[in-house]
Amino acid sequence: MIEKIVDIAKRIEEEIIQNRRTLHQMPELGLDLPKTTAFVREQLTQMGYDVADCGPGGLVVVAGQGEKTFLLRADMDALPGEELADVPYRSQTENAHLCGHDMHTAQLLGAARILKEIEAELPGRVKLMFQPAEETVEGAKSMIEHGLLENPKVDAAFAMHVMSTLERGTVDYTRGVASAAMDTFFIEIKGKATHGSMPDKGVDPLQIAAHLYLMITSLAAREASMFDNIVCTIGEMGGGTAPNIVPDTAVLRGTIRSFDKAVRDRFVERINALVENVPMSFAAKGEIKWIPTPSIVNDDGVVDVAEKALAEVFSAENVINTGTPLTGSEDFSYVAARVPAMFVMVGTGGPDEYPVHNPNVVFDESNLAKSAAGLVAVAVSWLQGEAPAAQ
Ligand SMILES: [Zn+2]
Ligand SMILES: [Zn+2]
């Protein structure tokens, strides 16, 4: 079966690359993907699928029949900012596909095409998830809230992410924790505005922000052990409108990344305590909001099946168990928290290439068809393992 899947993928390679280039030229953001979803919907409809909406910017189709359902996921959103790479299919908007989600969408469309050709032989159902807003970590959550994992009920799931700094044609994965947990925080300090010449008449939130900045970023230096693996970054900070006005409010926005839930919980608690107590000691008030994104935890059962299937498509020496998780985060973790799942990285470049999210990044397309075949091979292999014994 896998041989047949690979053959079909080779035959439709040109179509997958063309779809990718079309998507690359019309990048859209977040949950608002009107052109992208119109294109994907049209392609899927032409293939003979019934396309269902699943929340804003989300699309779902199902191939095959049977008891069990395996989910394959692609994200479709881009990033704001100009593309600087000199490619003939450059972005035609003020946004850019710098994370390669156009690759993911095109390869899942390729998988859809392959699945249609082998639909009668499928030992179960394959559900395809085309998701919006991965970059803002809203998309997977929204689709789950809109019934993604029901009707038919999803039993296991798989996703791939391209990586420009990984050797082309290789697949990297790990067992267990596969990506960092990301906890984004938004702090507001409420002081009291006054004239710049009369600081004693107000409460300066910028000064409190400066103290808080140092205290929060010092936590990882002084309260984390060498084994805690935690990073804390404040990437946005400020307030005020003029040199001679002490403003009312100041903000700090940042993120912590971690792999261990106990470490993560301890830091969240410590940052909350600082935000409550430091402003209070200056007669101001601090408030904090968190957007949590958990780690992806790869399921051993899915990994056992997928590593064999991927080895048949990419060849065994190219499928590498690195034993180390991604330091980045992924909202596929919301799916992986609910059903057994696996997330892998596919190399589309090499160590000297620009990294994802860099405006110069280029993704090598030569393994797009293989990736489409890999997605289908994992789904089919998992379903074969679950199907009732052959008659
Ligand atoms: Zn990204
Ligand atoms: Zn991404």
Side-chain angles (χ1 to χ4, degrees):
M1 185 81 133
I2 292 188
E3 227 170 281
K4 185 172 176 182
I5 291 166
V6 172
D7 282 347
I8 302 172
K10 273 189 200 140
R11 202 178 73 228
I12 62 168
E13 179 168 18
E14 204 44 46
E15 171 188 317
I16 300 175
I17 292 173
Q18 278 317 317
N19 282 346
R20 186 262 163 156
R21 292 182 175 197
T22 303
L23 290 161
H24 193 87
Q25 291 176 68
M26 51 185 203
E28 296 173 300
L29 302 181
L31 294 163
D32 190 25
L33 312 174
K35 289 188 180 138
T36 308
T37 49
F39 177 79
V40 171
R41 186 191 303 274
E42 192 196 321
Q43 295 290 314
L44 292 167
T45 306
Q46 274 176 13
M47 293 177 207
Y49 284 102
D50 257 336
V51 185
D53 289 295
C54 187
L59 299 175
V60 169
V61 294
V62 180
Q65 288 291 327
E67 284 295 298
K68 297 284 178 175
T69 302
F70 194 86
L71 179 102
L72 296 172
R73 174 274 213 161
D75 39 11
M76 305 188 285
D77 58 318
L79 287 153
E82 195 189 350
E83 174 171 32
L84 300 179
D86 184 21
V87 289
Y89 48 87
R90 259 181 74 171
S91 168
Q92 303 296 307
T93 76
E94 64 280 15
N95 309 317
H97 268 299
L98 304 178
C99 205
H101 298 182
D102 52 332
M103 304 275 282
H104 305 163
T105 309
Q107 71 200 27
L108 195 61
L109 282 172
R113 173 80 70 195
I114 301 167
L115 286 163
K116 262 295 162 205
E117 287 204 27
I118 59 168
E119 192 164 23
E121 300 156 66
L122 285 177
R125 281 182 291 226
V126 184
K127 193 185 264 195
L128 306 185
M129 166 190 187
F130 291 89
Q131 88 157 70
E134 193 289 319
E135 295 293 354
T136 56
V137 297
E138 301 165 286
K141 215 156 90 185
S142 155
M143 288 186 76
I144 292 168
E145 284 164 8
H146 286 86
L148 169 75
L149 301 176
E150 306 302 324
N151 300 320
K153 188 178 135 335
V154 170
D155 296 294
F158 181 81
M160 277 181 180
H161 201 300
V162 290
M163 206 29 75
S164 56
T165 44
L166 263 185
E167 205 55 59
R168 65 203 72 209
T170 59
V171 180
D172 277 15
Y173 70 96
T174 187
R175 286 176 183 266
V177 175
S179 72
M182 170 176 75
D183 294 279
T184 304
F185 56 82
F186 301 83
I187 298 169
E188 191 174 80
I189 300 157
K190 291 181 177 154
K192 190 177 166 204
T194 179
H195 194 285
S197 69
M198 297 182 278
D200 54 305
K201 303 289 184 212
V203 176
D204 183 358
L206 290 173
Q207 196 192 31
I208 301 165
H211 280 278
L212 258 185
Y213 176 91
L214 290 174
M215 294 176 90
I216 291 172
T217 54
S218 299
L219 282 179
R222 295 290 79 186
E223 293 192 21
S225 93
M226 290 169 71
F227 303 104
D228 280 344
N229 291 318
I230 187 158
V231 161
C232 177
T233 294
I234 292 172
E236 243 187 293
M237 170 172 175
T241 52
N244 58 350
I245 302 173
V246 171
D248 256 324
T249 58
V251 296
L252 298 119
R253 293 176 180 162
T255 179
I256 60 175
R257 308 295 174 103
S258 58
F259 296 121
D260 184 285
K261 192 168 178 307
V263 174
R264 168 196 181 187
D265 291 349
R266 199 173 89 224
F267 272 75
V268 168
E269 201 180 292
R270 290 290 290 130
I271 291 172
N272 285 342
L274 289 175
V275 173
E276 195 185 329
N277 293 314
V278 175
M280 199 174 29
S281 67
F282 285 94
K285 197 171 164 356
E287 275 172 13
I288 185 163
K289 276 196 204 101
W290 290 91
I291 300 181
T293 305
S295 290
I296 297 172
V297 181
N298 280 344
D299 174 81
D300 275 338
V302 181
V303 173
D304 288 342
V305 173
E307 62 188 358
K308 284 200 197 82
L310 291 169
E312 280 193 58
V313 176
F314 287 86
S315 95
E317 71 272 17
N318 290 328
V319 180
I320 302 155
N321 180 350
T322 61
T324 49
L326 262 187
T327 57
S329 302
E330 243 293 339
D331 81 344
F332 185 64
S333 58
Y334 289 101
V335 174
R338 286 163 180 82
V339 298
M342 183 186 187
F343 179 80
V344 304
M345 312 298 300
V346 177
T348 61
D352 298 330
E353 299 291 330
Y354 287 105
V356 294
H357 287 210
N358 183 297
N360 292 291
V361 69
V362 176
F363 298 94
D364 183 322
E365 297 166 326
S366 60
N367 286 289
L368 263 178
K370 253 190 202 172
S371 294
L375 289 166
V376 178
V378 170
V380 168
S381 300
W382 189 88
L383 290 169
Q384 278 169 342
E386 296 292 313
Q391 305 80 344

